[in-house]
Amino acid sequence: MTRETAATAFLTAQNIPFSVHDYDYAPNGGLIGMQAAEAIGVAPEDVLKTLVVEVDKKQAVCVIAPAHQRMNLKKVAALFDGRNARMMSPEKAHELTGFESGGTSPFGSKTPIPVVLSQDAMPRAHVYINAGGQGLVVRMTPADAQRATDAKVADIAAD
């Protein structure tokens, strides 16, 4: 079942190679990225979660990091000369990006926002990133994900 979303339309328009994969989305089944990894049969390091955070309550940032990894919000804030960052509410993130919780993608956001990509994703041959719908991911190279979003690549992992 291939669905076109704002994310897949954006990637197509940018001439970024990708393939679409779907899985049974279970909103109460725990960490969504870990669900996706198990459902599509890949290592958790290959599935990247997409989170929207606010730096100093004024700058929205999209963060892409391996599903199994904890993120250091202070490291994210520092990338934007901020002191702290916190998760944006699902309602506010939806209003900003156009994507529903569990379907947030760094590609094709209604309002373009800066993107940070975990440096830990870069050595992977391919990664799976949300494609703009619950239970839908795109497979691509980390370099193509970085190029498509003009992401800052940085160490954002919690110690």
Side-chain angles (χ1 to χ4, degrees):
M1 167 184 92
T2 301
R3 294 183 286 171
E4 183 170 300
T5 65
T8 60
F10 174 85
L11 292 170
T12 299
Q14 297 292 317
N15 292 315
I16 302 292
F18 67 94
S19 60
V20 179
H21 305 265
D22 62 349
Y23 64 94
D24 289 329
Y25 175 78
N28 299 321
L31 299 173
I32 294 164
M34 298 301 279
Q35 276 181 39
E38 184 176 338
I40 58 180
V42 298
E45 302 88 86
D46 291 336
V47 176
L48 306 183
K49 58 188 169 188
T50 306
L51 306 168
V52 182
V53 302
E54 272 184 303
V55 174
D56 292 342
K57 297 183 181 178
K58 60 184 177 192
Q59 170 69 62
V61 176
C62 180
V63 178
I64 314 169
H68 72 290
Q69 188 178 80
R70 291 192 48 167
M71 171 179 50
N72 182 319
L73 290 168
K74 288 207 177 287
K75 288 181 181 179
V76 174
L79 293 170
F80 296 90
D81 298 321
R83 291 185 36 209
N84 58 55
R86 64 184 177 122
M87 294 297 297
M88 187 177 282
S89 75
E91 298 79 19
K92 192 170 179 181
H94 172 70
E95 185 179 310
L96 183 69
T97 66
F99 298 118
E100 296 202 27
S101 182
T104 302
S105 179
F107 315 114
S109 179
K110 184 170 77 173
T111 305
I113 58 175
V115 176
V116 176
L117 176 58
S118 172
Q119 71 182 18
D120 295 333
M122 298 311 289
R124 309 304 292 181
H126 290 94
V127 292
Y128 295 80
I129 302 172
N130 197 289
Q134 296 172 336
L136 198 65
V137 292
V138 289
R139 178 183 185 262
M140 61 182 16
T141 67
D144 281 341
Q146 191 274 330
R147 184 168 52 94
T149 59
D150 195 27
K152 290 184 182 190
V153 175
D155 172 17
I156 54 172
D159 296 326

